[in-house]
């Protein structure tokens, strides 16, 4: 007899192989020149709701340049970034007016920086850091903002009684979790992360990874995450983009790229990882 | 029962670009069809490519030559895995293709119960129901209740293997891959796993496995499929 709580095949939802929902983000022919130097060239990818795309490669491979262009923070030299909003409208991120782009970045997107201090306001309290994005979206009720901020501190495993403390009094791992709370409080549809676990101790890193993994699944977020750490990429991302010298050299399912790498550079990257 | 898995003329070679581009052929011209309700054991010497074929079906290895198709039941359309879009592969792994690997890939800080419940949650089942199912499965595999809330990183080999098995059998996948499912298990737990495999066959799952345990193989496998080594020269 089977275990009573297992589902029968009849209950199982149909397989959705290659369903035709439109991507939330489409990056086409992206290039960025810094003077005569190539930041990135010929970069294209699409991202669907609920999907996490990892961009891996060594420092200087152009992955952060791609992230910044895709996130609307850096104007590309060529190519475009198309964002499909919840109402079905498509926005050409670098062609729309600055004010519209800023509004998208505030309402629909979030960015998590490698260094927490780049994403936080160090001079105000933890609660204010988390409440601010809500106020920017028009929330005015102090009690509700404070409650939401408290909830998000708890969700990111920060003691709620630290709500009035400044982030300068927090450890590195706590600051990073606070940045995540600030990024996600306004319920973005799309999150960009630049080496979110970089510079943290491994135990602190594991906690943050677990947190990010849970939140991404729970909230059904689409995310682009840049990391040089292949273990982080394996844990968080569904698909990978491998970059070298500004170009994409390999792309595919995360475990396929890591277990059966095809490009010489990907093989070298995978072979260079220390196995604990 | 009709076929649920069809492997046709697949070949695989690894090209090691950083070892002077040496090519290592592992499989050539392998064909195998597995019907619903059938369990096929892959046999052959170590290094012959049994695990490689399993990984090609799981699609964490690419299939460069030939075709690997599967379907959820006799009426469902065939899904080609060779060269499939990553999202299509993920959808197949969510609902159709289960995989019990030999070693658990441990995610830091995730408790055993959540590791087991995760496939059901990914299929959209309510979290509480998924956890209850996970607990029932872990109890059936005699994993002490005190361990359910702990991450499996510090578990013994046999305990980790049972977490892995619970995760692989929590959803009634129509196609199942089993890599040494009874290795490092004691007699009682081995019997539970053999029962689980028998139940999966009875509900019509097509199963491909590697079983070094000859008794286990004899107990659940309907036939053997031998993979012969190709040798080192192309």
């Amino acid at each position: 007899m089977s275990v009573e709580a297992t589902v029968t095949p009849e209950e199982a939802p149909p397989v959705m192989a290659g369903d035709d929902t439109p991507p939330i983000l489409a990056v086409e022919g992206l290039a960025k020149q810094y003077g005569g130097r190539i930041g990135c060239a010929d970069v294209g990818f699409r991202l669907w709701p609920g999907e996490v795309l990892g961009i891996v490669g060594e420092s200087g491979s152009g992955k952060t340049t791609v992230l910044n262009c895709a996130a609307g923070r850096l104007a590309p030299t060529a190519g475009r970034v198309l964002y499909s909003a919840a109402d079905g409208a498509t926005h050409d991120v670098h062609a729309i007016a600055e004010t519209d782009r800023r509004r998208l970045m505030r309402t629909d997107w979030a960015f998590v920086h490698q260094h927490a201090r780049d994403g936080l306001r160090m001079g105000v309290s933890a609660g204010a850091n988390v409440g601010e994005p809500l106020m920017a979206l028009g929330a005015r009720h102090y009690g509700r903002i404070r409650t939401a901020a408290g909830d998000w501190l708890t969700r990111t495993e920060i003691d709620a009684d630290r709500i009035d403390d400044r982030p300068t009094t927090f450890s590195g791992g706590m600051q990073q979790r606070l940045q995540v709370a600030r990024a996600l409080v306004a319920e973005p549809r799309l999150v960009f992360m630049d080496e979110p676990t970089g510079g943290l101790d491994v135990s602190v890193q594991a906690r943050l990874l677990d947190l990010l993994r849970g939140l991404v699944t729970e909230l059904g977020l689409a995310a682009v995450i840049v990391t040089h750490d292949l273990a982080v990429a394996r844990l968080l991302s569904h698909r990978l983009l491998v970059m070298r010298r500004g170009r994409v050299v390999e792309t595919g399912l995360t475990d396929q790229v890591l277990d059966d790498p095809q490009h010489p550079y990907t093989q070298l990257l995978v072979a260079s990882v220390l196995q604990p | 029962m009709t076929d649920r898995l069809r492997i046709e003329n697949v070949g695989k070679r690894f090209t090691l670009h950083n070892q002077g581009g040496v090519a290592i052929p592992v499989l050539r011209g392998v064909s195998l069809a597995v019907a619903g309700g059938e369990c096929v054991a892959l046999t052959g010497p170590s290094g012959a490519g049994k695990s490689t074929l399993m990984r090609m079906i799981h699609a964490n290895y690419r299939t460069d030559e030939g075709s690997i198709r599967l379907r959820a039941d006799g009426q469902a359309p065939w899904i080609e895995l060779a060269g499939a879009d990553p999202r299509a592969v993920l959808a197949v792994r969510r609902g159709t293709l289960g995989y019990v690997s030999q070693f658990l890939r441990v995610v830091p800080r995730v408790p055993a119960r959540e590791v087991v419940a995760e496939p059901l949650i990914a299929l959209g089942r309510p979290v509480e129901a998924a956890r209850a199912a996970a607990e029932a499965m872990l109890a059936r595999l005699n994993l002490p209740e005190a361990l359910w809330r702990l991450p499996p990183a510090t578990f013994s080999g046999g305990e980790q293997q049972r977490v892995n098995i619970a995760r692989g059998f929590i959803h009634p996948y129509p196609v199942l891959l089993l890599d040494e499912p009874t290795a490092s298990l004691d007699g009682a737990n081995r019997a539970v796993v053999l029962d689980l495999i028998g139940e999966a066959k009875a509900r019509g799952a097509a199963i491909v496995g590697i079983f070094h345990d000859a008794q286990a193989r004899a107990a659940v496998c309907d036939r053997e499929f031998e993979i012969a080594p190709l040798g080192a020269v192309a």
Side-chain angles (χ1 to χ4, degrees):
Chain A
M1 275 308 294
S2 67
V3 177
E4 56 179 8
T6 33
V7 287
T8 59
E10 290 71 37
E11 281 178 66
V15 173
M16 307 171 301
D19 63 302
D20 47 11
T21 43
I24 187 169
L25 192 74
V27 171
E28 298 172 351
L30 199 72
K32 178 68 183 175
Q33 297 266 132
Y34 296 106
R37 197 170 60 79
I38 292 172
C40 68
D42 294 329
V43 175
F45 63 84
R46 292 187 292 170
L47 181 74
W48 277 266
E51 191 180 41
V52 180
L53 176 77
I55 305 181
V56 298
E58 290 168 339
S59 13
S61 59
K63 49 193 197 305
T64 299
T65 298
V66 170
L67 189 77
N68 284 328
C69 289
R73 297 159 49 84
L74 181 67
T77 315
R80 55 183 195 161
V81 176
L82 301 175
Y83 170 68
S84 176
D87 62 6
T90 299
H91 303 278
D92 185 338
V93 172
H94 291 285
I96 56 178
E98 172 78 19
T99 49
D100 294 334
R101 184 162 58 244
R102 293 220 165 268
R103 188 181 313 118
L104 272 186
M105 291 163 82
R106 204 162 53 233
T107 59
D108 286 32
W109 300 3
F111 199 97
V112 176
H113 299 262
Q114 174 174 6
H115 302 291
R117 56 180 58 247
D118 294 334
L120 293 173
R121 284 185 52 207
M122 301 306 278
V124 301
S125 71
N129 264 288
V130 183
E132 221 173 42
L134 295 175
M135 286 160 66
L137 292 178
R140 286 293 171 264
H141 189 288
Y142 177 78
R144 278 200 288 270
I145 294 170
R146 191 172 167 87
T147 307
D151 284 350
W152 269 94
L153 291 182
T154 309
R155 285 177 91 165
T156 50
E157 304 178 21
I158 298 169
D159 276 341
D161 62 13
R162 301 296 302 269
I163 193 166
D164 295 316
D165 295 347
R166 291 186 181 188
T168 40
T169 66
F170 287 9
S171 69
M174 278 171 75
Q175 286 185 4
Q176 199 57 309
R177 296 201 300 280
L178 183 63
Q179 193 195 181
V180 170
R182 178 176 160 101
L184 300 185
V185 65
E187 298 176 7
R189 299 177 67 226
L190 178 54
V191 183
F192 299 92
M193 301 189 227
D194 187 8
E195 302 275 9
T197 62
L200 298 176
D201 290 341
V202 277
S203 62
V204 179
Q205 211 183 78
R207 186 175 193 179
L208 184 69
L209 273 177
D210 178 31
L211 179 77
L212 288 174
R213 202 167 158 273
L215 288 173
V216 164
T217 314
E218 190 185 322
L219 306 172
L221 297 173
V224 182
I225 173 164
V226 158
T227 178
H228 69 279
D229 187 330
L230 298 183
V232 168
R234 188 190 281 271
L235 221 53
L236 288 180
S237 57
H238 299 107
R239 283 192 296 128
L240 281 188
L241 220 61
V242 183
M243 291 196 63
R244 186 192 189 210
R245 294 181 187 161
R247 292 173 192 273
V248 176
V249 295
E250 185 162 352
T251 163
L253 197 63
T254 296
D255 61 12
Q256 205 174 70
V257 170
L258 297 180
D259 294 343
D260 188 14
Q262 304 291 307
H263 190 275
Y265 178 68
T266 318
Q267 290 187 354
L268 185 65
L269 268 189
V270 171
S272 306
V273 176
L274 295 172
Q275 306 279 352
Chain B
M1 282 277 193
T2 51
D3 290 350
R4 285 195 180 176
L5 175 67
R6 279 187 190 157
I7 299 167
E8 281 164 358
N9 217 18
V10 299
K12 179 70 183 171
R13 70 171 59 215
F14 294 94
T15 306
L16 307 181
H17 292 288
N18 299 296
Q19 314 287 329
V22 60
I24 303 172
V26 178
L27 297 173
R28 191 182 301 137
V30 173
S31 297
L32 167 69
V34 185
E38 191 180 29
C39 178
V40 176
L42 302 182
T43 61
S46 170
K50 303 186 291 292
S51 295
T52 296
L53 184 61
M54 297 273 276
R55 289 175 189 152
M56 287 164 76
I57 303 169
H58 186 61
N60 58 322
Y61 280 8
R62 285 169 206 253
T63 298
D64 315 313
E65 241 175 73
S67 156
I68 297 180
R69 291 177 299 157
L70 50 75
R71 56 181 175 177
D73 60 59
Q75 277 76 51
W78 287 102
I79 301 162
E80 174 67 63
L81 288 176
D85 176 81
R87 296 172 64 233
V89 175
L90 290 174
V92 163
R93 286 185 192 167
R94 251 192 320 272
T96 309
L97 177 67
Y99 183 29
V100 176
S101 62
Q102 206 174 342
F103 302 103
L104 182 66
R105 191 178 282 282
V106 183
V107 178
R109 297 184 80 226
V110 180
R113 186 182 64 171
E114 309 303 315
V115 171
V116 177
E118 203 175 57
L120 292 182
I121 295 168
L123 281 165
R125 300 220 43 218
V127 173
E128 286 313 312
R131 281 184 184 152
E135 289 180 357
M137 190 59 96
L138 289 170
R140 189 173 173 189
L141 284 155
N142 304 305
L143 193 80
E145 198 172 334
L147 298 183
W148 297 355
R149 287 168 191 278
L150 300 179
T154 55
F155 291 8
S156 74
E159 287 162 351
Q160 289 200 4
Q161 179 65 348
R162 280 179 277 158
V163 172
N164 222 2
I165 287 162
R167 182 181 159 98
F169 281 92
I170 193 81
H171 173 67
Y173 297 100
V175 181
L176 257 180
L177 302 173
L178 306 175
D179 191 353
E180 298 282 10
T182 56
S184 63
L185 295 186
D186 60 25
N189 286 311
R190 191 164 155 276
V192 176
V193 173
L194 296 180
D195 282 349
L196 284 169
I197 297 172
E199 287 162 18
K201 287 171 65 181
R203 61 168 165 74
I207 303 175
V208 178
I210 300 174
F211 300 84
H212 281 125
D213 175 349
Q215 276 184 310
R217 187 165 70 222
V220 292
C221 295
D222 301 286
R223 63 190 163 100
E224 296 185 356
F225 181 79
E226 187 175 351
I227 298 180
L230 286 184
V233 225

